């Protein structure tokens, strides 16, 4: 790859990921929604946009800028379920779990390692 291609790929990922994060920050600043509700809403938005065929072109355009935010996790779950549905009903139910298993496993393992290395404590205001 040429330097300009790589720079453009980074720019697209930064802009799209930044826009997704900006929307989340605006929601945090101007609503009373909790962080959990916002996370679930973004994940469900990723699922809905994937079902409508809108998220896949965004992933093709922005790469990690669209797959790294939590909406990308919804995209991953929806894609796994849709691929599984082509094989049967049971695979439709388990396809999303199979698609997300590597990421969830990595999160659990790295969280465990960090818990061993660092001492947790409560935050004082």
């Amino acid at each position: 790859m040429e330097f300009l291609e790589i720079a453009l790929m980074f720019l697209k990922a930064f802009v799209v990921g930044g826009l997704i994060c900006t929307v989340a920050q605006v929601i945090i600043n101007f609503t009373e929604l909790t962080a959990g509700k916002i996370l679930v809403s973004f994940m469900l938005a990723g699922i809905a946009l994937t079902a409508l065929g809108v998220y896949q072109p965004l992933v093709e355009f922005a790469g990690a800028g669209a797959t790294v935010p939590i909406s990308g996790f919804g995209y991953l779950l929806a894609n796994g379920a849709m691929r599984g549905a082509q094989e049967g009903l049971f695979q439709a139910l388990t396809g999303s779990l199979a698609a997300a298993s590597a990421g969830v496993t990595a999160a659990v393992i790295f969280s465990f390692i960090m818990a061993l290395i660092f001492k947790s404590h409560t935050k004082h205001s």
Side-chain angles (χ1 to χ4, degrees):
M1 270 197 212
E2 192 177 311
F3 174 76
L4 289 176
E5 289 178 49
I6 294 171
L8 182 62
M9 184 174 55
F10 274 94
L11 180 65
K12 291 189 290 187
F14 178 78
V15 168
V16 171
L19 286 173
I20 293 170
C21 292
T22 300
V23 170
Q25 190 63 51
V26 167
I27 293 170
I28 289 169
N29 289 349
F30 295 107
T31 69
E32 297 294 321
L33 291 174
T34 63
K37 289 179 182 178
I38 295 169
L39 285 171
V40 169
S41 298
F42 271 69
M43 188 189 68
L44 292 174
I47 292 170
L49 291 173
T50 301
L52 294 172
V54 176
Y55 212 83
Q56 181 64 40
L58 188 63
V59 169
E60 290 169 4
F61 174 77
T67 59
V68 170
I70 193 71
S71 55
F73 185 65
Y75 160 79
L76 177 70
L77 293 175
N79 258 350
M82 290 187 309
R83 275 183 276 150
Q86 294 172 348
E87 298 175 23
L89 179 61
F90 182 72
Q91 287 80 4
L93 299 173
T94 61
S96 59
L97 298 175
S101 62
V104 171
T105 301
V108 169
I109 290 171
F110 288 121
S111 297
F112 178 71
I113 291 170
M114 293 301 120
L116 292 176
I117 295 172
F118 298 102
K119 183 180 177 187
S120 66
H121 60 282
T122 58
K123 182 178 176 181
H124 300 286
S125 341

